[in-house]
Amino acid sequence: MRRNDKYRTAIGIDVGCRNINVAQLVMASSKPQIAALSMLPRTKIGEQINPEDILTMKRALKRQGFCGNDIVLAAPEGGLLRGIFDIPPQVSGTPLAQIARMELSRLHHVAPDSFEMVCWDPLDLSKSKSRLQSTAIGCTHEMADAFIDLFEDSGFRVSALDIRIAAAARACKTLTIPAPALTCILNIGWESTNLLLLCGSTVVYERPFLN
């Protein structure tokens, strides 16, 4: 008989200014279900997480039923490279990614090979526009490596570094309305609220609001 622990996903960790949100799923009958969920308050509000905080969190996760040391981290929001840019119609896939990389490089004055990124194909619902808009978000290797090293030095194995809005879009995939209708995701935090608009599975708009 196989144990359910073998089918658990990596632990998802989102470090906020006041809390650390943690979740882990288990695959049961080919459908993911929540295996463990926790929100851990931070003792040093607003400060950068340090090795002592991570070790305290690690001990708490073991007590609360989380399994394994494989984790997926939410990238720190402060240093992300964001861009909305125009592209010609019918551009998608690799050409879009190349254009997005060069645009983020130009907008933020960084080398094109100094960051990783995610971008979304533009929507062409009218079939009449000469230029379309696409959204891209990047994370520099320098910031990513420093953040990842904090957790790996504490015994975790970082499987991936994710972007919050990309993770939210995937998590709500089964709840989104088919294009061209828009789906709104509202994330209400302690100090800010984030509005995210999806058209199908494509992120078309993001805006933070201070509470």
Side-chain angles (χ1 to χ4, degrees), residues 19-185:
N19 301 293
I20 302 175
N21 301 312
V22 192
Q24 187 175 36
L25 304 181
V26 62
M27 300 303 295
S29 302
S30 300
K31 184 178 180 181
Q33 298 177 358
I34 294 176
L37 191 66
S38 182
M39 180 165 47
L40 307 172
R42 296 190 58 187
T43 55
K44 298 178 181 179
I45 296 174
E47 295 186 14
Q48 183 178 354
I49 193 168
N50 58 49
E52 183 180 350
D53 296 331
I54 296 173
L55 289 174
T56 300
M57 178 195 69
K58 191 174 184 180
R59 290 191 290 267
L61 295 185
K62 288 184 178 180
R63 295 194 301 269
Q64 296 180 16
F66 291 85
C67 295
N69 291 319
D70 293 321
I71 63 174
V72 174
L73 292 172
E77 287 287 316
L80 295 181
L81 314 176
R82 286 179 161 84
I84 299 176
F85 47 91
D86 293 332
I87 64 168
Q90 309 303 321
V91 174
S92 62
T94 301
L96 171 63
Q98 293 172 344
I99 294 173
R101 182 171 294 277
M102 296 308 297
E103 284 296 312
L104 283 182
S105 172
R106 181 185 62 83
L107 287 171
H108 296 277
H109 307 289
V110 296
D113 60 352
S114 67
F115 59 90
E116 300 300 324
M117 67 168 197
V118 60
C119 61
W120 289 268
D121 282 338
L123 297 175
D124 187 9
L125 301 177
S126 67
K127 303 297 181 182
S128 62
K129 294 183 179 180
S130 60
R131 306 289 290 183
L132 304 173
Q133 282 192 332
S134 183
T135 301
I137 300 179
C139 180
T140 65
H141 297 153
E142 181 180 4
M143 185 178 76
D145 290 342
F147 193 56
I148 289 172
D149 286 346
L150 281 173
F151 288 83
E152 293 198 333
D153 289 346
S154 298
F156 285 110
R157 294 186 295 269
V158 180
S159 302
L161 194 64
D162 207 352
I163 304 297
R164 285 181 177 88
I165 67 170
R170 292 196 309 273
C172 297
K173 185 176 180 179
T174 59
L175 303 175
T176 56
I177 305 170
L182 296 179
T183 300
C184 174
I185 299 175

